[in-house]
Amino acid sequence: MFQDLLVNLAAAGIAFVLGLCFRPLKVRVQRRRTARRRQEVGRQRKPDFAADWIARYYRERGRLDDLYRIVIGSRAVSIPFLATAEWRQVDQDETLLLLQSPPHEHSSVVFNRRTVAARLQDPAEIDSPDVWNDLHACARAVTSTPDGPRIQVFVSDYFQYVTACGALEDETYAAVVRPERATPIRDQHLSSAARAAECGMGAHSIGMTVALVFWQDGVPKVIVQERSPAASTYGGGLGIVPMFGCQTHDLSDVTPVSLTHNFLREVYEELYDGSSVQSGSLRVDPSWFLGEPEMAYVVGRMEAGDLRLRLLGFGFDAVNGQLIIGGVAEIRDPEFARTELSRLVGNWEIRSIFVWDLFGFELSDALLSHRFTPACAFTLAQTRDLLTREGVTAPGSAA
């Protein structure tokens, strides 16, 4: 019996030592797998990853003309953005474009834990009471009227939006990797611009991308960002500033959605690092941030008419089904670059931020090579086209 005890102790000791030896190996293997997965996700979320597949999908179905087309000189490209000619109307009145009657109806989408968790920095946060899950404006449907298109508005939780649009995004990326895979969500809800207009996924988030244009030494410039990997969509891709999901005035379901209010709030958040606006507060007036010293210039220029938000139309991101409205905020103050540019700072969503010539080669090449998110490419091309029509010389156009 004593010998058996010694044998057992020896075996236990050997097992313990082997466990200590192999545990670091197991940890290293797990870390490598996690790193490979993150690298794969990062590659997929670049705007160019699915661009060719998207174009082929709609071409094979005779719907390539539903995609927005950018033409620069002798080069042309279709970007993953469903936008009919009717939807590309410039200078629409936002109060007419958005059909809404607060209190808003709420989406019935049941959120999918796996889809949502995959887009969080720490998947365990999904059960945290502190995780961000505020209301988002969503499109119920897009309809046509004699006076132009209309977007019917309701709301969803952020998790509901991620569930709906994330599922389509995941399906898209899987089909890019394995083209033989079926795409039932896309086939049912996004096979054409007309089907997208039905907003059948139940939580098509309404977002906005705005080109902030100003003049420096007589040259029109635009602020460009590289998205942070922490962003849930298009991490590492190029965008403009600001770009955001739209919300109601006080982040509840009882106040309206204002594109101008959202734009100003996001300028404060994304360009002046106004982090306290990212979630609800106990302030009575939801426009409190307009009184902050950082916003004095923007508010003053808007009141003077030197800065105004102009709508450029809208469409559906053909990768994930979000409805996104394009806009341009043109700053006519010639002193902006000298007095205000140095005060701007990006927030956590931005890895790097810089200024490009609006009609420069660098921006043109990025548009044609799908480095910009689809909605930002749409907005920049529409901005170029608009300013060209209004007298700014440009080397190309969009259609």
Side-chain angles (χ1 to χ4, degrees), residues 246-266:
C246 294
Q247 296 179 276
T248 58
H249 265 81
D250 64 358
L251 310 186
S252 77
D253 60 2
V254 298
T255 54
V257 175
S258 164
L259 300 181
T260 300
H261 175 85
N262 273 274
F263 163 70
L264 289 170
R265 194 188 71 177
E266 293 298 325

Side-chain angles (χ1 to χ4, degrees), residues 67-199:
L67 295 179
Y68 187 76
R69 185 174 175 82
I70 295 177
V71 180
I72 302 175
S74 60
R75 301 173 64 188
V77 64
S78 295
I79 64 171
F81 197 72
L82 296 161
T84 67
E86 180 191 21
W87 299 348
R88 301 198 301 265
Q89 293 184 27
V90 174
D91 286 332
Q92 295 180 78
D93 184 334
E94 68 164 283
T95 62
L96 298 178
L97 176 63
L98 301 182
L99 295 179
Q100 51 184 324
S101 300
H104 299 284
E105 188 178 346
H106 201 290
S107 172
S108 60
V109 168
V110 178
F111 91 85
N112 182 286
R113 293 180 60 88
R114 182 175 180 180
T115 302
V116 174
R119 284 158 176 79
L120 299 176
Q121 283 291 95
D122 178 3
E125 290 180 353
I126 195 170
D127 294 315
S128 169
D130 299 323
V131 69
W132 193 83
N133 189 29
D134 283 351
L135 293 178
H136 260 233
C138 288
R140 165 85 55 201
V142 174
T143 56
S144 298
T145 77
D147 298 317
R150 300 290 182 262
I151 301 170
Q152 298 176 18
V153 178
F154 74 131
V155 296
S156 77
D157 297 337
Y158 175 74
F159 282 4
Q160 291 177 303
Y161 140 63
V162 172
T163 292
C165 292
L168 175 60
E169 184 180 71
D170 291 344
E171 178 186 270
T172 303
Y173 293 154
V176 174
V177 176
R178 295 174 55 191
E180 72 279 4
R181 289 180 66 104
T183 55
I185 302 174
R186 178 174 303 278
D187 296 344
Q188 182 177 358
H189 299 299
L190 223 72
S191 58
S192 67
R195 292 306 296 271
E198 298 173 2
C199 299

